[in-house]
Amino acid sequence: MRQTIWAGSEHNPESTHCTYLVNAPLTFRAIWRVAGGWLNPRTLERVKILGRNKEAAREVMVASGVPVESMPEWCG
């Protein structure tokens, strides 16, 4: 798993501008902390894990330049 994560982050760090994970469960966040040590720092900067508060998640995405009309309805 470690090698797979490393390979993906080393060879594809520019393929995504930013990824937002909304409503991620606690177990995922714990795993992410461990896996984050194996990722390229540029990749880590592009992944934002947002909590369960949909309004707060929406504000973060809008502040980052995500157009409201491109957000799914369940994101607020």
Side-chain angles (χ1 to χ4, degrees), residues 2 4 18-22 26 29-30 32 36 39-40 42-44 46 48 51 54 57 61-62 66 72 74 76:
R2 184 178 188 181
T4 302
C18 192
T19 300
Y20 296 94
L21 300 171
V22 180
L26 183 60
R29 287 182 264 169
W32 181 252
L39 295 173
N40 182 309
R42 292 173 69 189
T43 301
L44 288 173
R46 294 167 188 238
K48 310 290 185 215
K54 292 178 184 178
M61 289 188 282
V62 169
V66 177
W74 58 265

Side-chain angles (χ1 to χ4, degrees), residues 25-36:
L26 183 60
T27 53
F28 177 83
R29 287 182 264 169
I31 292 169
W32 181 252
R33 282 190 202 119
V34 172

